[in-house]
Amino acid sequence: FLGMSHFFLGEYDKALPIFERVGNGKGRLSGGKGRYWRARTLQKMGNKSRAIDGYSALVASYPFSWYALLAHSRLREMGKDLGPFGSSPADPGRAPDIAATVPAELTRDPLIRDADELIGAGLGVFAARELRAGERAFLKRHGREKGLAALLDRYRKAGNFNRPWMLAVVYGGSRALNAPPKLEARVWWEHAYPRAYRDLVDANRGLGNNPPFWLYSIMRKESGFDPHVHSYADARGLLQMIPATTKRVVARLGMEYTTDLLFDPEANIKTGSWYIGHLFHKFREQVPMAAGSFNSGPRPVMRWLDKNKGYPIDEWVELVSYTQTREYMKKVTETYARYQYLYQGKVYQQPLKVDSAYVKDKLTY
């Protein structure tokens, strides 16, 4: 905060050492923040070559992170275009090995046999519970390379996307997710960023005219693809819809509200699609603002757009006064960028200019 205060006052010589200290830390949203604002300060001071070096290193170190996306846009502004992993990507190491197919001998393991029987009976929830209870012993028996391939496959067949997401993040980690999604790395990417409940998403995303992969991005951050999540704020299900909001949405959709409605994946996605999509277009398809409006509600975002006109997106987001919403914007934007790259090969470009206008309608809840 002290560094940003100096930056906004134009006291770049005072801001620079503070950002350097922050940048010595680790993490995409902590160390990455210091590294980005150090480069941005150098750019403001007219030191173009050092700014370019700083932005380029950030893109390579933390690909697809919020600050890497900003750095990529700043580089384009300065006439230098890099790929999403930079010109000299940081070596994350080889992605952890995972078998391409489930070895036949593992299908005879009692854990897999029991899970298959439950899946065949349409009891996927119970199959996933069995797999979770026996997971550690199963991996000990068969090793990670083969064992994880079998577990990930059976969790998916059981309709469980939450546990594979967790396993991919833990076992694939930065070695896979900071590398291009090829070979073993792609397996980890697809489990970390799944097209969960795809049939339901495809059938309903048009209710809010949601762009491809937008609902998955929100779902990943909100629930981790677990339809049973119930938050301290009474948000429920896959897209963590609030009952009070949902009651307004079901009236628009001609549905009936019940207390268990939001724990049903189809109803949750249907109501969430309408609401999230309309927020996306209310804020003129600006990803950070659309994401933030779902987290905080649209009124605060409207207020920030009115108050902070003229700021570029990097400064605008740092001025968001709700810490949770500010970080939510960054995380969802990264997730959306990763989905686009994984499934479309599209490199998301974060616009630097903020459109402060928004649709003035009744969607203020």
Side-chain angles (χ1 to χ4, degrees):
F1 292 134
L2 182 60
M4 291 305 301
S5 296
H6 287 306
F7 180 89
F8 283 122
L9 289 170
E11 297 170 350
Y12 303 126
D13 57 328
K14 294 180 180 179
L16 190 60
I18 297 173
F19 292 145
E20 287 176 344
R21 289 201 300 273
V22 177
N24 288 332
K26 296 181 179 179
R28 309 171 76 78
L29 293 181
S30 52
K33 177 188 296 184
R35 293 172 67 177
Y36 174 80
W37 286 106
R38 175 183 179 275
R40 184 79 179 101
T41 301
L42 288 167
Q43 184 183 2
K44 285 281 193 177
M45 296 172 77
N47 198 328
K48 183 177 179 179
S49 62
R50 290 181 66 195
I52 287 175
D53 289 344
Y55 289 139
S56 300
L58 181 55
V59 171
S61 297
Y62 299 121
F64 294 99
S65 71
W66 169 249
Y67 291 106
L69 295 173
L70 291 176
H72 196 270
S73 296
R74 289 293 176 192
L75 287 167
R76 293 188 73 201
E77 177 186 58
M78 300 168 79
K80 185 176 177 63
D81 198 4
L82 293 181
F85 298 93
S87 55
S88 299
D91 183 8
R94 181 181 174 185
D97 288 332
I98 186 168
T101 58
V102 179
E105 66 270 20
L106 269 66
T107 64
R108 295 188 288 271
D109 187 281
L111 180 66
I112 301 301
R113 286 207 313 266
D114 289 349
D116 285 347
E117 184 175 346
L118 288 166
I119 292 168
L123 300 172
V125 171
F126 294 98
R129 290 179 184 173
E130 288 290 320
L131 290 168
R132 182 70 181 92
E135 191 177 278
R136 182 175 295 182
F138 183 79
L139 291 175
K140 189 174 182 179
R141 289 195 297 274
H142 300 290
R144 290 183 181 180
E145 182 177 347
K146 296 179 180 179
L148 283 170
L151 288 171
L152 292 170
D153 177 75
R154 285 329 194 257
Y155 275 122
R156 283 291 188 88
K157 288 181 178 177
N160 184 301
F161 296 90
N162 172 261
R163 188 59 185 165
W165 160 67
M166 291 183 177
L167 291 173
V169 171
V170 171
Y171 289 104
S174 60
R175 286 190 293 156
L177 302 180
N178 281 351
K182 300 176 181 178
L183 302 175
E184 288 91 349
R186 186 172 184 90
V187 175
W188 296 114
W189 272 70
E190 288 183 350
H191 285 292
Y193 298 93
R195 288 178 284 192
Y197 301 92
R198 185 178 180 180
D199 290 346
L200 297 178
V201 171
D202 287 348
N204 291 289
R205 73 178 179 87
L207 291 172
N209 194 22
N210 291 276
F213 312 112
W214 182 236
L215 291 178
Y216 298 131
S217 303
I218 299 292
M219 193 185 301
R220 186 182 192 271
K221 181 67 183 72
E222 288 291 342
S223 69
F225 314 109
D226 182 350
H228 310 294
V229 171
H230 192 169
S231 82
Y232 68 90
D234 202 23
R236 304 176 184 185
L238 289 170
L239 292 167
Q240 289 289 275
M241 290 287 287
I242 299 287
T245 300
T246 306
K247 289 174 183 178
R248 298 191 183 198
V249 174
V250 296
R252 297 284 191 117
L253 295 174
M255 299 169 62
E256 180 182 356
Y257 181 81
T258 59
T259 55
D260 60 349
L261 178 82
L262 291 173
F263 295 111
D264 172 57
E266 182 174 9
N268 192 287
I269 290 172
K270 186 173 184 178
T271 55
S273 175
W274 187 94
Y275 182 65
I276 291 166
H278 279 80
L279 287 178
F280 186 81
H281 295 287
K282 179 181 182 70
F283 293 103
R284 298 181 179 268
E285 304 179 13
Q286 296 179 97
V287 169
M289 289 71 170
S293 68
F294 184 63
N295 178 260
S296 67
R299 286 184 183 275
V301 178
M302 294 159 62
R303 184 171 67 249
W304 297 325
L305 285 169
D306 290 339
K307 179 181 178 181
N308 297 322
K309 292 180 179 179
Y311 286 99
I313 190 66
D314 50 3
E315 298 176 18
W316 192 93
V317 168
E318 301 295 356
L319 287 168
V320 166
S321 54
Y322 296 175
T323 300
Q324 184 187 84
T325 302
R326 185 170 63 245
E327 301 310 302
Y328 185 94
M329 290 174 169
K330 300 172 186 178
K331 292 173 183 176
V332 171
T333 304
E334 171 175 353
T335 299
Y336 184 55
R338 284 181 173 272
Y339 266 106
Q340 287 193 331
Y341 189 75
L342 174 61
Y343 294 108
Q344 291 183 323
K346 180 180 177 181
V347 179
Y348 172 80
Q349 302 288 345
Q350 175 57 54
L352 294 171
K353 185 176 180 180
V354 172
D355 183 352
S356 294
Y358 50 84
V359 177
K360 296 181 179 180
D361 55 17
K362 295 181 179 180
L363 192 62
T364 57
Y365 53 89

